Amino acid sequence: MSERVDDAEHAGAEALRALHHGRAADDPLVLPGPWDAASARVFADAGFAALATPSAGVSASLGYEDGAAPADEMFAAIRRITRAVDVPVSADVEAGYGLEPRELVERLLEAGAVGCNLEDSDSATRRLVEPREQADRLAAVRAAAGDALVINARVDTFLRGDRTTGAAVERGKLYAAAGADCVYPILAPPSLLAEVAEGVGVPVNALCRPGGPSPRELGVLGAARVTFGGGLQEQALEAVRDMARGLRA
């Protein structure tokens, strides 16, 4: 990569990183999840300062179940999204597709992403990775990326393991020490977000779900960053279903 591209990547990552800090409690960083270039343009045109691709939504748009999209297709989809907008884009790359940290970083940067989600579940067994092993992997990703990626370390304890604040904080602290910019205790009860945030000492990402607290409410409860998983793509697809039913009426 050229020095010019490297400078652009660092600038994009720094812009995204800065958006996580200095925010009012009722004004978290809201990152819509585009699943293709068209949806990315819609969200950027609506004024959102950054976007975060969801693996589930992108996989669905490519015709795969969540977790089944091949890495090459996922990175190609991320590239189409980043090319379509002028705002920073973070990419959900699941557990990293078995790539070594340096290759993973290179592929993310080549795809135009300036941030990434990395989860601590094994994609094959759907079991939690040992926390220090995951921390070592995050540290290797950080070493390979320098400051060119904002790392959002997903903590899957509420999804697959010990559903207590202590377990999430233990992992979150290790991941923050390894270089993660923020942690994402997916499916953490909203009432526990403040306790997790205080315990880990870095911004916390919360999942906004239909019927649950709004992004603003999640911010008041302790989230500095709010994402939507594949939920926005699912809502859009439901609208298409309604359209299709109407065409047959």
Side-chain angles (χ1 to χ4, degrees):
M1 294 179 213
S2 71
E3 183 178 348
R4 182 187 61 80
V5 174
D6 287 343
D7 287 345
E9 288 158 354
H10 282 279
E14 283 306 310
L16 177 59
R17 190 171 286 114
L19 288 170
H20 291 74
H21 299 279
R23 310 190 69 93
D26 64 349
D27 181 34
L29 175 60
V30 178
L31 299 174
W35 52 94
D36 59 14
S39 60
R41 285 197 183 112
V42 169
F43 292 131
D45 288 348
F48 288 97
L51 307 174
T53 70
S55 64
V58 174
S59 294
S61 76
L62 297 172
Y64 296 99
E65 297 294 324
D66 187 20
D72 286 350
E73 292 194 44
M74 183 63 74
F75 285 111
I78 294 165
R79 182 57 184 154
R80 288 192 291 272
I81 288 169
T82 64
R83 192 168 50 222
V85 297
D86 293 326
V87 298
V89 176
S90 180
D92 182 352
V93 288
E94 303 176 47
Y97 307 112
L99 300 173
E100 290 300 315
R102 182 165 296 280
E103 183 180 359
L104 176 62
V105 168
E106 287 176 353
R107 297 197 68 174
L108 281 163
L109 297 179
E110 287 169 357
V114 296
C116 67
N117 274 20
L118 284 171
E119 60 195 49
D120 61 357
S121 290
D122 182 277
S123 56
T125 65
R126 297 188 179 274
R127 293 181 179 177
L128 288 166
V129 176
E130 197 278 325
R132 293 194 178 277
E133 177 184 343
Q134 181 68 3
D136 288 344
R137 178 165 172 76
L138 291 169
V141 171
R142 171 56 69 211
D147 292 331
L149 284 176
V150 174
I151 300 174
N152 187 34
R154 207 175 88 174
V155 177
D156 285 3
T157 53
F158 291 101
L159 176 65
R160 307 196 190 283
D162 181 349
R163 297 175 176 84
T164 64
T165 307
V169 168
E170 177 187 4
R171 284 177 177 262
K173 288 174 70 174
L174 283 172
Y175 301 166
D181 295 280
C182 44
V183 298
Y184 180 14
I186 190 169
L187 300 184
S191 61
L192 299 182
L193 290 171
E195 189 175 350
V196 174
E198 182 178 357
V200 300
V202 295
V204 166
N205 188 139
L207 175 66
C208 186
R209 307 173 74 190
S214 69
R216 187 178 296 274
E217 290 168 336
L218 289 169
V220 171
L221 289 167
R225 163 175 166 154
V226 176
T227 54
F228 301 84
L232 300 180
Q233 188 271 342
E234 291 171 3
Q235 291 178 50
L237 192 59
E238 187 57 38
V240 175
R241 291 191 187 99
D242 289 342
M243 184 190 305
R245 287 191 284 266
L247 293 174
R248 293 182 60 86

